[in-house]
Amino acid sequence: MSTGPVPTLDPGVSAPAEAVAPLVRGIDVLRVLTDAGGTLSLSELARATGLARSTVDRICATLAHMGCLRLDGRDATLAPPLMAVGNAYLGALRLPALLGPRAERLADELDESVSLAVPDADGIRFIHQATRRRAMSLSFRIGDLLPAERTAPGPLFASAWDEDLWERWRARRAADPEDRAFPAVPPRQEAEKEPFEERVARAGAAGCALDDQLIEPGLVALAVPVRGPEGDVACVVSVVSHTSRHSAVSLREAMLGRLRDAVTEMEEALRGPVPDAPAPTGPDATGPDAAWAAEAKQRLGRDFVESLARGLAVLTVFGPGRAELNLTGIAAATGLARATARRALITLEHLGYVASRGRGFRLTPRVLALGFPPLSHLTLAEIATPHMRALSAELHDSVSLTVLDGDDIRYTARVATSRVMSVNISVGTRFPAFATSMGRVLLAGLAPAERAAFLARADLAPLTPRTVTGADRLGALLDDVRHQGHALVDGELEEGLRSVAVPVRDLAGQVVAAVNVATHSSRRELARVTDEVLPALLATASHIEADLHVAGRFARIPAA
């Protein structure tokens, strides 16, 4: 049976004798899926990894059982719970939490996109993005790997490279002159106008660096290093624009002073006390422990690759306040035997996802290559749809997701049923919020002042004889909805249309959307809606929220 290619930190380095082969293969599957944008058929996965189809099936079944992947027919798709691995690195790093809000303020001030990046060998990875909403958007995904020589941060990091890294860079350039190994950037079209070594020397002397359309035509960027308390470069902050707004020279002239002022504030934040970080809960707390993995193995048999689950569990024990752990701490946190944890660490270090220093172990930026880039760009609608589809299949009724848009609700995702008589609504449809179950859930989630303002201005004209009108009566209903956690509307939007809705809350506990089940009144009595539909709907909202909380911990998740 083929074991497939083994990804290593350096080409030509053979795997240690103690490396865990199933863990290597499982991570290779995740890496290939990530580079492919998050979805491949099982046959394509087998071809891309060189693994036997039966091996791919077992790996994907394991990842699906862990929630890290969805199997839909012949396709495997990465799922938000996998982001717990990248979240562990970003939480341990602290930089997104400490500097991310300052990057957001800088982007607002400059009206340009702002990025934070860290080095990864002879490349860079983004760890935070503050983007501008424009028709021509300039942004990369968190976790994307870019070649150092085609970026603004790259020369600043390369100014500290040792000869081994320079040799690695030269070997990589010779083997891949078009940068085909970097899915996040278009292939290189022409030779560099200026040798990278000269850009590095100039950036080191100036303390800043420019990207003048090196990634792609039209994109320009200015970067300045952010130094930690010991004087080393902790990360690099970049302002990214387009040649329709700035040339590289004008970007530097207009932005450098303000960028350096912002960097001074960031460096002060790094020298300050470390804020207490709340421990993550739910699926983002840690990966599956040894007991969970053993139980899954006993229940699923050979279709569950226990060593893969254990290896991913090792990655997720890191986080805020746990940037560096020794073997004993990792074994205790995962419930693994020391020998088992040690073999997993040897494997992960060989692959470049863990680095050791003395007796301590740390995650490396390469961890972000395990699913984070494609998953960090999911919308709430994309996160919710698989769960809505499952609920619709269970109940044989339509399921919808909406957000509040002014005084209306706007449909952002929908799973319809194929019936002769069904609720015919498409994504983008708007209805008055006050007369719908989802609207009442969303209105009930507003702050008291916002809700009072709505009741004072809204047109509450009846849509059917059943529609509740009058600000006082509707206000009392919204209080009930807020207390009950759901809204049930019967024939108020349209005669015969009965629906029940519950809120979807973000990591901060704010209501960001509502999900409902709609049916014709002839199909279910009101009591059956409450007894049969509501519990399943609440469970679905809980699943959506769990994925949203993992995905939204370090990435911004738009509603649609």
Side-chain angles (χ1 to χ4, degrees), residues 443 446-458 471 478:
L443 292 171
L446 294 175
E450 293 178 291
R451 199 183 336 156
F454 169 84
L455 292 171
R457 70 171 182 267
L478 295 180

Side-chain angles (χ1 to χ4, degrees), residues 280-531:
T281 59
D284 205 22
T286 61
D289 60 17
W292 182 92
E295 186 276 333
K297 179 66 174 178
Q298 184 174 11
R299 181 155 43 89
L300 300 177
R302 69 179 306 274
D303 287 335
F304 186 78
V305 186
E306 189 174 4
S307 54
L308 172 57
R310 290 169 171 173
L312 293 180
V314 167
L315 292 175
T316 56
V317 298
F318 296 85
R322 305 188 305 277
E324 184 170 306
L325 295 169
N326 60 23
L327 175 59
T328 300
I330 292 169
T334 57
L336 297 172
R338 278 174 56 91
T340 302
R342 178 176 172 274
R343 288 193 66 199
L345 287 165
I346 288 172
T347 306
L348 294 168
E349 186 171 16
H350 162 68
L351 298 176
Y353 299 103
V354 167
S356 60
R357 182 174 61 182
R359 295 186 176 181
F361 295 89
R362 288 176 173 264
L363 298 180
T364 73
R366 185 167 294 194
V367 164
L368 295 174
L370 301 180
F372 213 91
L375 291 170
S376 69
H377 262 212
L378 290 176
T379 64
L380 175 55
E382 290 169 330
I383 290 171
T385 296
H387 302 291
M388 295 165 57
R389 192 178 293 122
L391 179 62
S392 180
E394 176 186 347
L395 299 177
H396 305 290
D397 277 313
S398 61
V399 182
S400 302
L401 184 81
T402 65
V403 296
L404 198 60
D405 192 350
D407 292 348
D408 297 334
I409 60 168
R410 176 168 51 86
Y411 283 73
T412 58
R414 180 167 169 76
V415 179
T417 56
S418 55
R419 291 178 175 274
V420 174
M421 183 172 61
S422 60
V423 182
N424 185 22
I425 301 169
S426 59
V427 170
T429 298
R430 299 164 67 100
F431 287 124
F434 79 95
T436 66
S437 62
M438 289 186 286
R440 289 180 185 171
V441 163
L442 292 165
L443 292 171
L446 294 175
E450 293 178 291
R451 199 183 336 156
F454 169 84
L455 292 171
R457 70 171 182 267
D459 178 7
L460 305 181
L463 304 176
T464 76
R466 292 171 172 264
T467 306
V468 172
T469 59
D472 291 343
R473 190 177 173 198
L474 182 61
L477 268 179
L478 295 180
D479 287 338
D480 290 342
V481 169
R482 189 180 183 92
H483 175 71
Q484 295 169 172
H486 72 274
L488 179 60
V489 169
D490 185 19
E492 297 187 45
L493 178 68
E494 183 177 322
E495 289 280 8
L497 180 62
R498 182 172 289 163
S499 67
V500 59
V502 299
V504 175
R505 300 178 186 274
D506 64 13
L507 198 55
Q510 299 298 311
V511 176
V512 293
V515 61
N516 90 335
V517 172
T519 187
H520 193 271
S521 57
S522 62
R523 289 204 64 234
R524 282 191 177 91
E525 298 174 354
L526 281 175
R528 289 184 61 200
V529 171
T530 303
D531 295 343

Side-chain angles (χ1 to χ4, degrees), residues 68-98:
C68 298
L69 183 147
R70 290 195 310 274
L71 293 173
D72 184 11
R74 298 179 179 180
D75 290 338
T77 301
L78 298 178
L82 179 61
M83 293 179 74
V85 175
N87 286 347
Y89 166 74
L90 294 172
L93 187 66
R94 298 192 306 124
L95 294 177
L98 285 174

Side-chain angles (χ1 to χ4, degrees), residues 18 59 64 74 92 104 139 265 277 295 317 384:
E18 294 177 281
I59 289 170
R74 298 179 179 180
E104 299 286 344
S139 68
E265 293 182 7
E295 186 276 333
V317 298

